[in-house]
Amino acid sequence: MTAGGKRPLAVFDLDNTLADTAHRQRFLERKPRDWDAFFAAAPQDPPLPEGIALAVESARECEVVYLTGRPERCRQDTLDWLDAHGLPAGRVYMRRNDDRRPARRTKLEILRTLARTREIRVLVDDDELVCADAQREGFTVVLARWATPSAELKVAQEREGRT
């Protein structure tokens, strides 16, 4: 326990950290990208065993929270997916539907806010830029390298502010 009796936080990304998005990448390869179909397919994401195991293990000592670039309109599907795959209960931080800033900006903003009142034990994310920025600010990070990387998703995270 930390000061004030609050457990430290373990912060987990979703896409390509806990959920395998490979089956829906095809929607990002189209011009224009089909974001509605991309997010509509998220409930069918298979779990990534390495990420799931790390989240369950982290819940022994930490309060698990989820920090995703998914838009708020995906909240119920996301909560249902987390529950269906036995992930620890925890608060889910999502992007506003109209927020198109890069993931590294939106996620770092939330991390800084959380760190004002809680110890953040670890951030687990597949986005190299998010992890690098978080590490520069003194956060402990685990770069999730267990999913197949997607160039289209990387562009979406950084340039288009979509996930």
Side-chain angles (χ1 to χ4, degrees):
M1 295 283 186
T2 58
K6 293 181 179 178
R7 296 168 71 195
L9 299 178
V11 182
F12 283 81
D13 172 46
L14 293 174
D15 292 337
N16 285 343
T17 298
L18 299 174
D20 187 348
T21 66
H23 72 101
R24 54 190 170 111
Q25 295 305 312
R26 67 186 187 275
F27 298 117
L28 300 184
E29 294 163 2
R30 299 174 181 170
K31 300 293 180 206
R33 299 182 201 280
D34 188 346
W35 290 105
D36 290 337
F38 178 78
F39 289 118
Q44 287 76 49
D45 288 354
L48 290 165
E50 299 90 337
I52 302 291
L54 188 54
V56 170
E57 180 184 321
S58 296
R60 292 186 190 129
E61 293 184 16
C62 299
E63 179 183 333
V64 173
V65 298
Y66 304 96
L67 176 56
T68 180
R70 291 180 184 183
E72 185 64 43
R73 70 180 179 273
C74 298
R75 180 170 292 277
Q76 193 57 56
D77 283 345
T78 299
L79 295 173
D80 292 346
W81 188 93
L82 291 167
D83 186 52
H85 294 288
L87 281 140
R91 182 153 183 181
V92 178
Y93 295 88
M94 303 183 88
R95 178 190 299 273
R96 287 186 331 268
N97 288 330
D98 62 348
D99 188 345
R100 298 288 186 265
R101 294 175 295 155
R104 61 190 166 93
R105 289 192 49 214
T106 60
K107 288 184 176 184
L108 264 291
E109 185 177 284
I110 292 169
L111 283 173
R112 286 184 205 111
T113 299
L114 291 172
R116 286 187 203 127
T117 59
R118 300 288 291 275
E119 173 196 344
I120 296 179
R121 177 81 45 93
V122 66
L123 165 68
V124 183
D125 200 303
D126 70 306
D127 186 321
E128 293 176 5
L129 295 172
V130 169
C131 288
D133 284 359
Q135 203 163 28
R136 267 193 294 280
E137 291 200 25
F139 294 104
T140 300
V141 302
V142 171
L143 179 59
R145 294 184 184 260
W146 41 80
T148 304
S150 163
E152 297 297 332
L153 188 59
K154 185 177 268 193
V155 169
Q157 290 169 324
E158 182 57 22
R159 292 192 199 140
E160 296 181 23
R162 293 289 194 144
T163 185

